[in-house]
Amino acid sequence: RRWFVGVLVVLFSVGAVASLIGVWAERTALDTDSFVDTVDPLPRDPDVSRALSAFITEELFVTLDIDQRARDALPEDLQFFLGPLEGIVRDYARDAIVTVLNSDQFERVWNDAVRTAHRLALQVLDGDDPPGVVRRDGEVVLDLAPAIHDILQRIIAQGPGFLGNVQLPDLDENATRGEIRRQLSDRFGVDLPADFGEITVFHEDRLSEASDAVHLAGRFVIGTMILTILSGAGALLLSVDRRRTILQLGLGVAIATYLVFTILRVVVDDLVDFVEGEDNRAAASAAAGVVGRGLRDGAWYVLIAGLLVAVGAYLAGPGRGATWVRRRTLALTRRARGGAETGAEALSGTAAGRWIETNLDALRIGGVVVAFVLLLLVDHAWT
């Protein structure tokens, strides 16, 4: 019987952490609206912004050959200026990129791109074959072509004639990726590659594995939660010492949470190391931190709750330490109660004390009203 209770305690501890991860995945990683809200602050992260800037700069200067176009636009009598010209062009581009990345317009472009990529990724994981951003080789991509178009507009606006006679009209809000590519190709006279402005976020050689994992997770989240509840209830029903079992349940959940999330942190660090380029690794690490923030917060709540339950169960027991803590707490409580009674007696003989006694009910109601109003008006954390 004791051994069986021990097995149920282990199942409850592991199931609690698995349920936490499953619920987080269902509500965040596998829900498009929630995922978009989660990654909304990513472009404002310094590491992510640096990686995006490097990527967009590469697209501008390698694919569209911006620096050569600026040289060609330079008059013959200013050809001696070719040396510092490349640095000036880069400064123009960098200023335009930073301005666009910090703009409300890019936030809309970013959210739209993330929403499209995430929705298509989920469709692929469900076994569908959606058209559009998912290309024939099975990749799901983040499309930043609209942002690149805005950056080029700003570069042209900062220096009229800077890129020759190139002019870019404003884009329609509903412009498709094909329309953007055709406009850029026509204006710059280049044949843009199929992956221009794209960041691959999902590749076909991982789609089947991820699809199996998603379907497995979706099938077993509810079952895991039910099994966890039954394991905890069964452990308490069969226990010969329920206080001790409650202590074990609390400690088991805390230990399982700590171990699982330590392992996950190591795994994420190892995966980030596979990313090429220092800027990209820093961006991947920042992205993993932002996406997993809700999961980490939930883990902390579970860990602290487990420890509190374990401490409460221990303090309720016959141990020497628990007995000492209870005695000291009782003595302090009695002392505080005595001081409060003495203060109340002293206050009752005053005009203020008599007024409080007369209006006690009104003061209680007023206190509740004031607390409720403060709760509505004052900005506060969930804690």
Side-chain angles (χ1 to χ4, degrees):
R1 185 173 175 178
R2 290 180 181 273
W3 278 99
F4 191 64
V5 170
V7 171
L8 292 177
V9 167
V10 173
L11 288 176
F12 176 83
S13 303
V14 175
V17 179
S19 299
L20 172 66
I21 297 174
V23 170
W24 169 82
E26 286 285 343
R27 293 185 176 180
T28 303
L30 300 180
D31 181 88
T32 297
D33 291 336
S34 179
F35 185 80
V36 171
D37 292 339
T38 300
V39 301
D40 177 69
L42 266 182
R44 295 184 289 277
D45 183 278
D47 292 327
V48 176
S49 178
R50 190 181 305 113
L52 285 174
S53 298
F55 169 77
I56 294 174
T57 301
E58 185 75 8
E59 295 291 85
L60 292 176
F61 284 85
V62 174
T63 306
L64 295 179
D65 203 11
I66 295 296
D67 46 0
Q68 182 60 47
R69 190 170 294 274
R71 292 192 197 98
D72 295 340
L74 199 66
E76 289 187 6
D77 56 346
L78 295 178
Q79 290 296 311
F80 66 90
F81 203 54
L82 285 176
L85 181 62
E86 184 174 347
I88 295 174
V89 173
R90 297 269 173 172
D91 289 341
Y92 266 129
R94 185 163 45 249
D95 291 343
I97 291 170
V98 170
T99 301
V100 169
L101 291 182
N102 292 327
S103 67
D104 294 337
Q105 187 173 5
F106 180 75
E107 184 176 355
R108 178 182 59 79
V109 170
W110 170 264
N111 288 340
D112 289 345
V114 171
R115 186 181 303 278
T116 300
H118 191 271
R119 186 180 65 250
L120 292 173
L122 292 183
Q123 291 177 9
V124 172
L125 292 177
D126 286 335
D128 299 333
D129 187 19
V133 182
V134 181
R135 300 198 303 276
R136 286 190 301 273
D137 58 1
E139 291 181 346
V140 176
V141 299
L142 194 64
D143 184 9
L144 297 181
I148 294 176
H149 185 280
D150 292 342
I151 290 168
L152 287 170
Q153 278 188 317
R154 291 179 184 272
I155 292 176
I156 294 171
Q158 287 176 1
F162 187 62
L163 298 180
N165 296 321
V166 176
Q167 295 293 328
L168 286 177
D170 293 334
L171 279 179
D172 184 83
E173 286 189 4
N174 299 318
T176 64
R177 171 177 173 76
E179 293 171 347
I180 296 174
R181 290 184 71 255
R182 280 194 296 273
Q183 186 180 109
L184 292 178
S185 295
D186 294 341
R187 302 288 174 167
F188 284 87
V190 296
D191 187 15
L192 294 178
D195 61 352
F196 176 77
E198 292 180 352
I199 299 176
T200 301
V201 295
F202 230 112
H203 198 275
E204 65 177 342
D205 62 358
R206 293 287 179 262
L207 288 182
S208 60
E209 301 172 14
S211 179
D212 293 340
V214 167
H215 288 117
L216 188 67
R219 191 178 302 120
F220 285 104
V221 168
I222 301 299
T224 300
M225 296 176 66
I226 294 174
L227 179 62
T228 301
I229 295 172
L230 293 177
S231 298
L236 290 175
L237 288 173
L238 295 174
S239 175
V240 295
D241 185 348
R242 287 177 181 167
R243 182 198 60 81
R244 182 183 181 88
T245 301
I246 292 174
L247 187 151
Q248 292 171 344
L249 290 173
L251 275 182
V253 168
I255 293 172
T257 304
Y258 176 79
L259 289 178
V260 168
F261 283 90
T262 299
I263 293 171
L264 285 178
R265 185 170 63 249
V266 173
V267 170
V268 169
D269 291 341
D270 289 343
L271 290 176
V272 168
D273 289 338
F274 283 110
V275 178
E276 297 181 358
E278 185 177 349
D279 288 344
N280 292 336
R281 278 195 296 273
S285 179
V290 170
V291 173
R293 183 174 299 156
L295 185 58
R296 288 197 309 274
D297 292 344
W300 272 111
Y301 289 134
V302 171
L303 189 147
I304 292 172
L307 290 177
L308 290 176
V309 168
V311 169
Y314 170 75
L315 293 178
R320 185 178 301 175
T323 303
W324 182 86
V325 170
R326 289 201 302 271
R327 287 175 178 171
R328 293 296 300 171
T329 302
L330 184 60
L332 291 174
T333 302
R334 287 173 177 171
R335 188 177 302 173
R337 184 184 299 168
E341 290 174 352
T342 302
E345 290 176 359
L347 181 63
S348 63
T350 64
R354 288 190 294 272
W355 183 85
I356 291 174
E357 290 176 355
T358 304
N359 301 279
L360 190 56
D361 288 337
L363 287 172
R364 284 170 174 161
I365 296 172
V368 172
V369 171
V370 170
F372 183 72
V373 170
L374 290 176
L375 193 65
L376 292 177
L377 299 181
V378 177
D379 189 18
H380 54 85
W382 278 109
T383 307

